[in-house]
Amino acid sequence: MKRLLYILIAAVTIGSLLFSCEPVEDRESLPAVNLTPENIKFSVTQNTANKNEIILKNNDAAVIPYWKYVDASGNELGHSNKSDDKITFPFAGKYTIYYTAYVRGGSVDAAPVTVDVPENDETFFSDPRWEMLTNGTAGKTWVLDFIDPVGWSGLDYPGTTGDNWNWFPDYASNSWVMPNKNWGEMQFNLNGGYNTKVIQTAQTSNAQTTKAGTFSLDLTNNRLIFNNGVEMQYGGDYHPDCSNWTNVKLVQLTSTSLRLGVKRDQSRTGEGVCLIVFHFKPKP
């Protein structure tokens, strides 16, 4: 009987020690958040010489900034974590900019800032690649090109140095890359905004889902970014191998060819990090 009592006492003692290991002290050691929406140091400035250009500035080195900007309909147009940044709203309209300051103890949201852009900036779309992708206000639809629908490359491709290898196999000799079926389509247009719609076909059936939102085209860094829950259209069983299908690399863009790369960073078969590059053509 005494032996059983000692066992019970030991069990209760161990259980107490286990429960006392909750990270209360760790939580209480975080600094208090002293920031308030009123004392966050940041600025949103409209360029007086070009009201389509907005200058974002974080004035507190102790915080990590996060910016998000949306149009009048609430469509997200992009985001940034830079302390100093410039964004352009080429279409006339009202836009709202949200700023969040992150500190060790948490985060604080500033009061949203609204800017009014009085007119379109037609010069913003002077680069011919805008027309190649979207066909302007009329819009353009892209589908997978089954001459060579998918390939692989190094992260630096199509650069001339670094990890710039590539392999874009022809489908006729490599049909294992994906079933030949209607995988859906991507639509882009500039009809009053950066509009996109993606129709995606399921892997194991012909069921399709449709998502509409906005996109950003970063021609300086060769990135195409899908917003509002839209993901890049694709074919084959590749989705689980990549964690990001919204911010993708613009590998190639002409009037008749579009190659977009997603980073293979969670390969299910242990293969190395690279770009999975999907090849699209204009829909006939």
Side-chain angles (χ1 to χ4, degrees):
M1 184 70 179
K2 287 184 178 180
R3 179 177 176 79
L4 177 59
L5 179 61
Y6 291 150
I7 292 174
L8 289 173
I9 292 173
V12 171
T13 303
I14 293 171
S16 300
L17 290 172
L18 289 174
F19 284 112
S20 68
C21 291
E22 290 186 87
V24 174
E25 291 186 4
D26 289 343
R27 293 196 299 267
E28 292 179 348
S29 68
L30 290 172
V33 179
N34 296 318
L35 285 177
T36 66
E38 293 75 26
N39 63 20
I40 296 178
K41 299 176 181 178
F42 78 104
S43 63
V44 175
T45 308
Q46 199 165 7
N47 187 339
T48 55
N50 178 7
K51 292 192 175 181
N52 299 85
E53 183 180 82
I54 312 299
I55 302 166
L56 310 178
K57 188 172 181 60
N58 164 45
N59 296 310
D60 188 345
V63 308
I64 297 174
Y66 178 78
W67 312 87
K68 183 180 75 170
Y69 24 99
V70 304
D71 63 17
S73 300
N75 296 312
E76 183 177 344
L77 301 178
H79 55 269
S80 170
N81 60 0
K82 296 180 180 179
S83 286
D84 294 275
D85 206 355
K86 290 182 181 179
I87 56 176
T88 299
F89 298 134
F91 302 105
K94 292 185 181 296
Y95 300 87
T96 303
I97 299 170
Y98 297 89
Y99 175 78
T100 301
Y102 285 91
V103 295
R104 284 188 60 202
S107 63
V108 178
D109 295 323
V113 178
T114 301
V115 295
D116 191 357
V117 176
E119 59 185 10
N120 292 349
D121 179 8
E122 301 296 340
T123 62
F124 183 81
F125 301 109
S126 60
D127 191 301
R129 287 174 290 182
W130 284 100
E131 181 71 16
M132 292 175 184
L133 178 69
T134 68
N135 193 29
T137 58
K140 193 169 185 176
T141 301
W142 297 87
V143 295
L144 282 170
D145 187 342
F146 264 89
I147 292 178
D148 51 352
V150 67
W152 292 262
S153 77
L155 299 182
D156 297 323
Y157 182 81
T160 56
T161 60
D163 185 21
N164 64 348
W165 60 272
N166 74 88
W167 183 51
F168 299 149
D170 67 289
Y171 188 79
S173 304
N174 298 275
S175 59
W176 57 268
V177 296
M178 68 176 70
N180 187 348
K181 70 175 187 178
N182 175 13
W183 286 99
E185 59 189 43
M186 291 186 297
Q187 303 172 15
F188 301 93
N189 73 67
L190 297 175
N191 188 12
Y194 307 93
N195 307 305
T196 186
K197 183 171 73 171
V198 175
I199 300 173
Q200 179 65 53
T201 305
Q203 166 68 22
T204 57
S205 72
N206 291 324
Q208 292 184 321
T209 57
T210 301
K211 292 184 179 180
T214 63
F215 72 95
S216 304
L217 183 59
D218 183 349
L219 294 175
T220 301
N221 298 300
N222 294 312
R223 308 297 299 182
L224 179 61
I225 302 164
F226 296 85
N227 302 310
N228 306 101
V230 180
E231 290 188 332
M232 188 192 92
Q233 191 251 319
Y234 63 92
D237 184 22
Y238 297 101
H239 197 273
D241 292 321
C242 307
S243 63
N244 190 336
W245 291 82
T246 58
N247 188 329
V248 303
K249 185 170 185 177
L250 185 65
V251 175
Q252 181 190 55
L253 175 58
T254 70
S255 60
T256 59
S257 179
L258 173 64
R259 293 186 191 270
L260 298 176
V262 288
K263 186 177 180 180
R264 186 179 67 193
D265 56 1
Q266 51 187 30
S267 171
R268 292 163 292 168
T269 55
E271 296 173 287
V273 174
C274 73
L275 291 179
I276 304 177
V277 182
F278 292 89
H279 189 201
F280 304 89
K281 65 179 182 179
K283 184 177 180 178

